[in-house]
Structure formats: C-alpha cells, structure tokens
Amino acid sequence: MSESALNKRQIAIIPIAAQTASGDIDGLKVSLNKGLDAGLTVNEIKEILVQMYAYTGFPRSLNGLGAFMGVLQERKEKGIKDEIGKEASALPADYDSLQDGTANQTQLIGVEVKGPLFDFAPAIDQYLKAHLFGDIFARDVLSWQDRELATIAALANLKGAGSQLGSHYAISMHNGLTEPQIRAFIEVLRQTIDEQTATDAAQVFDQVLAARR
C-alpha cells in the first residue's frame, strides 16, 4: 500500500509517537527533524509528545520533550526558523472536565463507555473521562484524527498493548481514517520502526476488520 493515502504531516506523526513510546531517542531526534521539515509546527509536535504520557507514561513523554528541546536548539543554531503554530484555544469558564470529557469520549468512540473493568476500578474511568478526554482531547492544537493516529502509532510500538491497539483502530476509523490510510500507517511503521512491529500491527488490524464484517 502506498504511503500516498496519508499526507506528509500524518506520515511524520507516526514515527514521532512510536519512537517516543519505545524510548528510541536517537531515532526520535531524526523523526522530529523530519516532522518539522514536513510542516508540523512546534506546538503540534509538543502536543503529540505531551499526549504520549497518557498512553506511555510520564518518563517517555518527558524524555521526548527533552529530545525535542535539543532538536529545536540545534536547528536554531543552524539558522532554521521553525513555525511555532497556534496555541490551544481557551476553554469556556464553565468547562467541566468530567462532564465534557464524557461527552467527548462518547462522540469519539461512538457509544457510551461502560464495562466490568470500569465498575471494578471507577477511578480509572473518571481519569480517562476527565483528564484524557476532557483535558487533553479538548485541546484543539491537533485534530482528533491526528490524535488517534499518534495513539495507534504509540500502541503499535508498545509491547503487550494489542487489545488497546485494536480498540483504537476502531476509534480511528469511526473518526474518519480509512482502511487504505491504516494500511499506509502500517507501511510507515515498517519503514521507520521495524518489520516485526508492522507485521504485528497488521495482524491486529486484520482481526479488527474481520470482527467488523
């Protein structure tokens, strides 16, 4: 499948998220440079790296942000002027992270999220709704489609996260990513991460498609 199903910005998001998830800082620095050259703004990349903490933990996110600071300094010393990009819009004064995050989650996924896991640990349900979908997904620096692309890239390169990857493939398609685009995503993983990661990601995607049919 040709990468042409994705645009340059989308292609650039994939290794940034995936290498942040795995802690491949040397590879990440290369991908950060390529991302800036492909048209991602400084604030868009920062937003990707910040979002990663919700899926891969603070250490990976902080290391990614530190690497990005270094890349920007090196580019500045070379006389490269990178576009900063827009900041996140201010939220309404009466914004309620839990209430609005629940609505965001339902819209993003297509159904209200319930289940035994969330009954067993209601705190994680509240954190997901209020913080991830309320605080993070409410920020409009990135589209939800871009955020989902970053999410599946991170999960694909995170060992033991196949179930979550499958769920987010379905969420990605619900939010407009097409089957050819996800096939192209897998090919970007093959070229920028490794063959096994791409093969595993393709296997999970095939299972998702089979279930949908």
Side-chain angles (χ1 to χ4, degrees):
M1 177 65 63
S2 168
E3 288 179 14
S4 62
L6 298 170
N7 63 41
K8 289 193 301 182
R9 281 184 67 268
Q10 291 172 316
I11 291 169
I13 287 171
I14 296 164
I16 289 174
Q19 289 162 335
T20 300
S22 66
D24 178 8
I25 297 300
D26 288 339
L28 176 60
K29 289 178 180 178
V30 173
S31 297
L32 290 167
N33 274 289
K34 289 182 177 179
L36 290 165
D37 292 339
L40 288 172
T41 69
V42 171
N43 282 339
E44 285 173 335
I45 292 177
K46 284 197 291 187
E47 199 73 18
I48 294 166
L49 298 173
V50 168
Q51 180 183 318
M52 288 299 97
Y53 98 82
Y55 294 98
T56 68
F58 274 114
R60 295 296 197 217
S61 178
L62 292 170
N63 288 347
L65 287 164
F68 191 34
M69 289 174 65
V71 165
L72 290 173
Q73 182 61 35
E74 290 174 2
R75 290 169 70 91
K76 182 178 179 181
E77 290 171 359
K78 294 176 182 177
I80 301 172
K81 294 183 179 180
D82 292 305
E83 182 182 350
I84 300 301
K86 74 172 186 175
E87 301 281 349
S89 300
L91 295 173
D94 61 349
Y95 187 79
D96 183 309
S97 292
L98 180 56
Q99 178 179 312
D100 291 280
T102 300
N104 286 345
Q105 183 192 49
T106 302
Q107 181 180 344
L108 185 75
I109 296 173
V111 295
E112 184 179 356
V113 177
K114 299 178 180 179
L117 177 66
F118 301 120
D119 294 334
F120 176 69
I124 199 69
D125 186 39
Q126 180 174 342
Y127 295 156
L128 281 168
K129 287 178 166 66
H131 188 48
L132 176 58
F133 297 108
D135 295 332
I136 297 178
F137 270 72
R139 292 171 58 85
D140 58 0
V141 177
L142 294 172
S143 68
W144 283 3
Q145 220 179 75
D146 285 343
R147 289 190 183 280
E148 279 304 309
L149 190 59
T151 299
I152 60 175
L155 293 173
N157 207 26
L158 196 63
K159 300 302 181 186
S163 175
Q164 290 79 12
L165 175 59
S167 295
H168 279 277
Y169 276 144
I171 295 169
S172 297
M173 296 180 77
H174 180 69
N175 286 273
L177 286 178
T178 65
E179 180 178 346
Q181 285 177 314
I182 294 179
R183 293 292 183 196
F185 155 80
I186 293 167
E187 289 308 308
V188 175
L189 289 178
R190 196 180 312 279
Q191 294 167 22
T192 61
I193 307 302
D194 57 50
E195 182 72 29
Q196 188 61 55
T197 299
T199 298
D200 292 344
Q203 182 177 15
V204 174
F205 187 49
D206 288 340
Q207 292 168 354
V208 169
L209 292 179
R212 288 167 68 95
R213 291 175 182 141

